[in-house]
């Protein structure tokens, strides 16, 4: 005991050695408490916060929280041990307390950041509204936590009240507004997008001007991430959804139907009044007689003359539109409780556009395209039976056929001259 007492007196008599020993003791105490917390706090957190979970369910939240909590204990331990070391130089004592205060608020901000991240993950996994995202609000919370931590650290370093630090920020408010203008705009945009339900996770978004078409997979504070149909990713600033035009196809998915609105062009010179020869040609198609009888109010087409059709304005296009409407109404892949319209549009140099407007019973892309293709393939094939011609610009084969006819006519003229 006398030997230990002599060592203690020797250390106390030497200021440098006493200071070094005190610092070494603080470091050892902080390391030991840190190692103990790594194993002890995990069990406490698991028992207090996650005791309702089944043991066989793998959890990482307790480990993440315990790691953040275990950082506080060494700092608090070192700060508490300083009370028993009054012989330390005052400047060193102030420096250690300042470092402890800074580390405390740094770890505190990391802890709350981790808590917010866990809340976001839990909401995404357990929420009944799977298509909503609170990631933007979580990011705003993280920013506020870091700002408060920065204010407290500045107060500790300057040894001033946090109220004074906050009041002094009013002088640089304009600078802060300039620095965080994009964050503020993104925050406002995120709130409007989320609160008005104009955009949700899983929505199909299309921006033709930017060549973007895909599914929303993430709604963050500053950007919204889309997975395009070629599996590429596009990140669009959130504020763009308030200032730019885009199409959200989610309403189409919710309705269970997808619209077909496509036109085909007819040669206007092929449109003419009905006559008995044309009626006989059209009558070979099943369903035409019913539509023709409805247009003639039940009259027998053989009992009227060709002049009657002209006087009543009945053309081959009229019959074709009625027949095509009835044919679409009988298809299983077309919704019968929605609009089915076949109408003639404004003529153009490319011919007379005839628009088909209806809704398919399948919203999926492959089935939709198959239905649309089958409809127009049938139209292109059947239109000739009504005495109509499709319009298209003349191609190389058309010019070749004209040249052959011209050459044949010229050769015939020469033979007659001989």
């Amino acid at each position: 005991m006398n030997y230990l007492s002599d060592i203690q007196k020797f250390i106390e008599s030497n200021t440098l050695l006493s200071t070094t020993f005190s610092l070494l003791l603080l470091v050892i105490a902080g390391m030991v408490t840190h190692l103990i917390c790594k194993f002890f706090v995990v069990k406490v957190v698991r028992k207090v916060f996650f005791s309702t979970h089944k043991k066989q369910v793998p959890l990482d939240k307790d480990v993440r929280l315990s790691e953040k909590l275990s950082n506080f204990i060494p700092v608090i331990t070192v700060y508490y041990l300083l009370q028993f070391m009054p012989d330390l130089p005052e400047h060193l004592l102030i420096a250690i307390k300042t470092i402890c205060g800074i580390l405390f608020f740094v770890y505190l901000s990391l802890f709350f950041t981790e808590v917010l991240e866990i809340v976001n993950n839990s909401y995404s996994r357990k929420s009944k509204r799977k298509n909503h995202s609170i990631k933007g609000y979580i990011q705003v919370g993280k920013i506020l936590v870091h700002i408060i931590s920065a204010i407290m650290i500045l107060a500790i370093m300057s040894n001033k009240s946090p109220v004074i630090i906050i009041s002094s920020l009013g002088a640089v408010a304009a600078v802060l507004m300039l620095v965080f203008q994009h964050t503020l705009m993104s925050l406002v945009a995120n709130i409007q997008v989320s609160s008005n339900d104009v955009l949700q996770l899983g929505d199909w978004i299309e921006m033709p001007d930017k060549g973007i078409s895909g599914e929303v997979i993430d709604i963050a504070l500053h950007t919204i991430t889309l997975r395009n149909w070629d599996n590429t990713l596009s990140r669009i600033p959130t504020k763009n959804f308030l200032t730019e035009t885009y199409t959200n196809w989610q309403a189409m998915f919710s309705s269970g139907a997808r619209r077909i609105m496509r036109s085909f062009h007819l040669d206007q010179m092929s449109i003419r009044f009905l006559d008995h020869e044309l009626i006989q040609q059209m009558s070979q198609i099943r369903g035409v007689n019913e539509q023709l009888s409805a247009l003639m109010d039940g009259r027998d087409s053989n009992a009227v003359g060709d002049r009657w059709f002209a006087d009543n304005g009945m053309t081959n296009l009229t019959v074709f539109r009625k027949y095509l409407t009835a044919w679409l109404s009988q298809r299983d892949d077309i919704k019968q409780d929605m609009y089915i319209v076949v109408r003639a549009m404004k003529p153009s140099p490319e011919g007379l556009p005839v628009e088909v407007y209806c809704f398919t019973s399948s919203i999926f892309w492959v089935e939709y395209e198959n239905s649309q293709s089958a409809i127009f393939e049938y139209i292109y094939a059947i239109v000739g039976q009504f005495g109509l011609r499709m319009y298209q610009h003349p191609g190389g084969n058309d010019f070749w056929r004209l040249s052959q006819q011209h050459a044949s006519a010229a050769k015939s003229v020469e033979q007659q001259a001989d």
Side-chain angles (χ1 to χ4, degrees):
M1 295 297 295
N2 293 332
Y3 179 72
L4 294 177
S5 178
D6 294 338
I7 294 176
Q8 182 180 0
K9 291 180 180 180
F10 175 74
I11 293 174
E12 292 177 354
S13 62
N14 192 328
T15 305
L16 180 60
L17 188 59
S18 176
T19 303
T20 305
F21 181 78
S22 299
L23 293 176
L24 184 61
L25 181 61
L26 291 175
V27 172
I28 294 175
M31 293 177 62
V32 170
T33 53
H34 180 73
L35 292 175
I36 294 175
C37 292
K38 283 292 184 181
F39 300 99
F40 179 72
V41 177
V42 173
K43 295 182 179 180
V44 174
V45 171
R46 180 172 299 177
K47 186 175 181 179
V48 174
F49 294 98
F50 305 105
S51 58
T52 58
H53 291 275
K54 297 181 180 179
K55 294 182 179 180
Q56 61 269 25
V57 178
L59 294 174
D60 62 337
K61 294 185 290 186
D62 51 355
V63 177
R64 289 156 56 188
L65 280 179
S66 62
E67 288 180 351
K68 299 299 182 293
L69 285 173
S70 62
N71 294 327
F72 290 98
I73 310 301
V75 176
I76 297 174
T77 302
V78 171
Y79 189 86
Y80 179 75
L81 289 177
L82 288 175
Q83 301 179 5
F84 302 97
M85 299 178 181
D87 297 334
L88 283 176
E90 184 178 356
H91 64 278
L92 186 59
L93 192 63
I94 295 174
I96 296 176
K97 288 184 178 180
T98 303
I99 294 174
C100 290
I102 293 173
L103 290 176
F104 178 83
F105 283 104
V106 169
Y107 293 145
L108 188 64
S109 65
L110 294 177
F111 172 74
F112 281 111
T113 300
E114 191 66 39
V115 170
L116 291 173
E117 188 64 30
I118 291 175
V119 170
N120 182 41
N121 295 337
S122 300
Y123 179 87
S124 301
R125 184 169 56 254
K126 297 180 181 180
S127 176
K128 296 181 180 179
R129 305 184 71 182
K130 298 290 185 181
N131 51 358
H132 281 259
S133 174
I134 61 171
K135 188 174 182 179
Y137 302 109
I138 295 296
Q139 290 179 334
V140 173
K142 291 179 181 180
I143 293 175
L144 293 177
V145 168
H146 291 310
I147 290 176
I148 295 174
S149 298
I151 293 174
M152 297 304 297
I153 290 173
L154 288 175
I156 292 173
M157 294 178 63
S158 60
N159 197 21
K160 294 181 180 179
S161 172
V163 178
I164 299 176
I165 301 296
I166 295 175
S167 62
S168 63
L169 292 177
V172 293
V175 178
L176 292 177
M177 290 289 290
L178 181 63
V179 172
F180 293 102
Q181 60 175 333
H182 295 292
T183 300
L184 294 174
M185 292 175 62
S186 299
L187 174 60
V188 174
N190 192 283
I191 292 174
Q192 293 186 4
V193 166
S194 301
S195 60
N196 296 329
D197 285 341
V198 297
L199 190 65
Q200 300 174 357
L201 292 176
D203 287 2
W204 173 16
I205 301 299
E206 185 177 12
M207 285 185 168
D209 296 340
K210 299 183 180 298
I212 295 174
S213 178
E215 179 186 1
V216 178
I217 60 174
D218 184 56
I219 301 177
L221 177 62
H222 295 90
T223 60
I224 293 178
T225 305
L226 275 69
R227 179 183 286 111
N228 299 309
W229 301 123
D230 56 356
N231 285 329
T232 58
L233 298 179
S234 298
R235 288 183 173 85
I236 307 169
T238 307
K239 58 184 179 62
N240 286 19
F241 286 88
L242 299 179
T243 59
E244 297 185 9
T245 302
Y246 68 95
T247 302
N248 190 339
W249 293 91
Q250 188 60 33
M252 179 266 295
F253 286 104
S254 302
S255 66
R258 187 167 179 178
R259 185 184 66 180
I260 294 177
M261 189 176 66
R262 180 184 290 186
S263 300
F264 59 93
H265 292 77
L266 295 176
D267 186 349
Q268 300 177 63
M269 301 302 296
S270 66
I271 302 173
R272 59 189 177 94
F273 291 112
L274 293 178
D275 54 35
H276 287 89
E277 180 182 356
L278 186 57
I279 289 176
Q280 185 177 3
Q281 177 182 336
M282 291 188 302
S283 298
Q284 301 176 5
I285 305 172
R286 185 178 61 182
V288 172
N289 290 329
E290 289 79 356
Q291 301 304 318
L292 187 60
S293 177
L295 289 172
M296 297 180 64
D297 295 330
R299 295 183 179 86
D300 185 2
S301 59
N302 295 322
V304 298
D306 294 343
R307 182 67 183 177
W308 186 90
F309 297 108
D311 291 341
N312 288 273
M314 294 182 60
T315 66
N316 54 349
L317 179 57
T318 304
V319 179
F320 179 66
R321 288 192 301 103
K322 297 296 182 181
Y323 166 76
L324 188 56
T325 302
W327 179 76
L328 290 172
S329 301
Q330 296 174 0
R331 290 182 63 92
D332 295 334
D333 55 354
I334 300 298
K335 296 280 288 187
Q336 306 303 319
D337 55 345
M338 293 187 175
Y339 287 111
I340 300 177
V341 180
V342 180
R343 59 173 182 164
M345 307 291 286
K346 181 180 179 181
S348 68
E350 284 74 27
L352 177 67
V354 179
E355 184 183 74
V356 176
Y357 188 96
C358 59
F359 294 84
T360 62
S361 56
S362 176
I363 61 175
F364 298 105
W365 182 58
V366 176
E367 289 83 355
Y368 167 79
E369 292 295 345
N370 286 334
S371 297
Q372 184 171 237
S373 299
I375 290 171
F376 280 88
E377 288 165 2
Y378 180 81
I379 291 174
Y380 298 147
I382 201 69
V383 69
Q385 299 294 323
F386 292 84
L388 298 167
R389 292 190 303 271
M390 302 299 297
Y391 181 88
Q392 66 180 13
H393 291 286
N397 185 62
D398 298 319
F399 291 114
W400 177 83
R401 187 172 62 252
L402 290 174
S403 64
Q404 293 297 314
Q405 293 176 357
H406 178 73
S408 177
K411 185 176 181 180
S412 177
V413 172
E414 290 178 358
Q415 289 177 353
Q416 292 178 1
D418 293 340

